[in-house]
Amino acid sequence: QVQLVESGGGSVQAGGSLRLSCAASGGTFSMYTVGWFLQAPGKEREFVAGITRSARTTYYSDSVKGRFTISRENAKNTVYLQMSSLKPEDTAVYYCAASNVYMSNIYMSIQSRASYNYWGQGTQVTVSS
């Protein structure tokens, strides 16, 4: 069973950057597909970015494509989310999630909360205008 801990959140002005980290322990991290999700107040948790086990392929929501970059270092059991050109609407709690279940339709599955069986506690990102 893997445990996930997010860090790197904080407050930043619009146009600024942050890098979130998701550190994993308790499992063979290279066997997990990892996703980042955000949840704004009063809204459902939604997909932001995902990365396959080998890091060969990454996926992004349309709202962050071109601004955010997901990457991973399996040797360090860590996944990163580099966020640039931040906007006030990016304000949310960001969650890291991991799945060791095979995703047959990777494009759809990696974006679905139901595909993930492990979640971190979240880190707050606040972007002011």
Side-chain angles (χ1 to χ4, degrees), residues 8-24:
S11 297
V12 64
Q13 289 195 327
S17 299
L18 284 174
R19 188 176 80 158
L20 305 184
S21 297
C22 172

Side-chain angles (χ1 to χ4, degrees), residues 27-73:
T28 305
F29 194 52
S30 60
M31 299 301 294
Y32 291 80
T33 300
V34 177
W36 283 97
F37 290 75
L38 66 81
Q39 188 165 20
K43 295 188 177 182
E44 290 192 353
R45 197 170 298 187
E46 61 184 61
F47 173 76
V48 175
I51 188 166
T52 55
R53 291 176 289 182
S54 64
R56 183 183 304 174
T57 311
T58 56
Y59 301 84
Y60 298 94
S61 68
D62 289 341
S63 62
V64 308
K65 200 171 295 182
R67 299 189 299 122
F68 291 11
T69 302
I70 188 170
S71 62
R72 67 189 298 164
E73 288 189 76

